[in-house]
């Protein structure tokens, strides 16, 4: 895998191609907690890196597919990303003073970096996370957990007889405790 770290001192004035492969190990590491543990991820970023004065522009295309958990049944759901990638970087010390707090569309494409290195890994991670829907689905008509297993309603459970204590119906397994309380 080509390095995801851009060393700005190594950049010439000509745009450079940077082809990155996102392999299953990368997905497992970067999307820990989001990534479906049983599934792999694959992707690539075909990028062009240009130095513009002290700033660095990274443009290109990001495509990937990776598994997450279905929001209804927790089975595997696939997320597909296929979109342009545009990001500008400037050194933290050069960051413009933001006059108002409202973020413009342009701000979303600006990042700062410290020192002489830009690590693309967290940026790519962020782009992939943005592509994950609020409720990912394993299939459009997923019926959720009820479609996979019958969950008994505890109120319909006849094996446990309710007893009345202090005017309240309670589970008899609490009865001994309730008696202790009421006879004190
Ligand atoms: Zn599902």
């Amino acid at each position: 895998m080509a390095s995801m770290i851009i060393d700005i001192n190594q950049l010439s004035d000509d745009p450079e191609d940077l082809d990155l492969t996102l392999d299953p190990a990368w997905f497992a590491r970067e999307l820990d907690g989001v990534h479906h543990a049983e599934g792999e991820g694959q992707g690539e970023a075909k990028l062009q890196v240009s130095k513009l004065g002290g700033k660095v522009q990274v443009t290109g295309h990001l495509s990937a597919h990776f598994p997450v958990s279905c929001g209804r049944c927790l089975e595997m759901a696939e997320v597909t990303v296929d979109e342009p990638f545009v990001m500008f970087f400037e050194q933290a010390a050069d960051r413009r003073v933001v006059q108002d707090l409202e973020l413009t569309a342009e701000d979303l494409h600006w990042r700062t970096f410290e020192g002489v290195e830009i690590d693309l890994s967290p940026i790519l991670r962020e782009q992939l996370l943005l592509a994950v829907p609020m409720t990912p689905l394993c299939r459009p008509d997923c019926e959720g957990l009820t479609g996979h297993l019958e969950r008994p309603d505890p109120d319909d459970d006849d094996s446990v007889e309710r007893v009345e204590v202090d005017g309240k119906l309670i589970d008899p397994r609490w009865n001994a405790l309730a008696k202790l309380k009421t006879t004190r």
Side-chain angles (χ1 to χ4, degrees):
M1 188 191 306
S3 173
M4 293 197 184
I5 293 177
I6 299 170
D7 181 340
I8 61 163
N9 288 334
Q10 300 292 316
L11 292 176
S12 66
D13 290 334
D14 298 321
E16 289 180 33
D17 289 330
L18 180 62
D19 289 347
L20 300 174
T21 302
L22 308 178
D23 61 21
W26 185 88
F27 280 91
R29 191 175 63 245
E30 293 292 326
L31 298 187
D32 184 30
V34 179
H35 184 262
H36 193 285
E38 289 171 29
E40 298 195 334
Q42 277 292 347
E44 59 176 5
K46 290 191 168 295
L47 305 173
Q48 266 213 329
V49 184
S50 319
K51 197 156 108 176
L52 307 161
K55 298 176 179 59
V56 176
Q57 171 187 294
V58 181
T59 57
H61 198 89
L62 176 63
S63 56
H65 59 89
F66 55 99
V68 296
S69 293
C70 172
R72 290 186 189 155
C73 73
L74 305 181
E75 292 292 315
M76 206 182 285
E78 183 128 288
V79 175
T80 304
V81 179
D82 187 22
E83 57 191 44
F85 182 93
V86 181
M87 202 63 76
F88 304 95
F89 299 88
E90 62 184 343
Q91 276 182 310
D94 296 340
R95 186 73 178 123
R96 302 159 290 166
V97 176
V98 178
Q99 298 290 348
D100 55 73
L101 293 172
E102 201 175 326
L103 284 174
T104 65
E106 194 199 35
D107 286 324
L108 298 175
H109 296 286
W110 279 94
R111 292 292 183 281
T112 56
F113 64 96
E114 311 264 354
V116 295
E117 289 184 343
I118 297 169
D119 187 357
L120 290 178
S121 209
I123 310 286
L124 293 170
R125 173 183 189 274
E126 186 185 299
Q127 297 298 306
L128 296 180
L129 289 179
L130 285 172
V132 180
M134 289 284 277
T135 307
L137 295 177
C138 59
R139 55 175 203 272
D141 60 347
C142 174
E143 291 173 0
L145 283 172
T146 53
H148 292 255
L149 54 100
E150 290 288 313
R151 272 198 297 184
D153 184 345
D155 289 337
D156 291 343
D157 188 353
D158 293 332
S159 67
V160 178
E161 205 179 314
R162 303 294 160 123
V163 294
E164 194 175 321
V165 176
D166 292 343
K168 288 174 191 157
L169 278 176
I170 65 160
D171 187 315
R173 285 166 290 189
W174 291 105
N175 205 13
L177 201 65
K179 272 181 185 155
L180 275 179
K181 205 178 161 190
T182 50
T183 54
R184 196 179 288 170

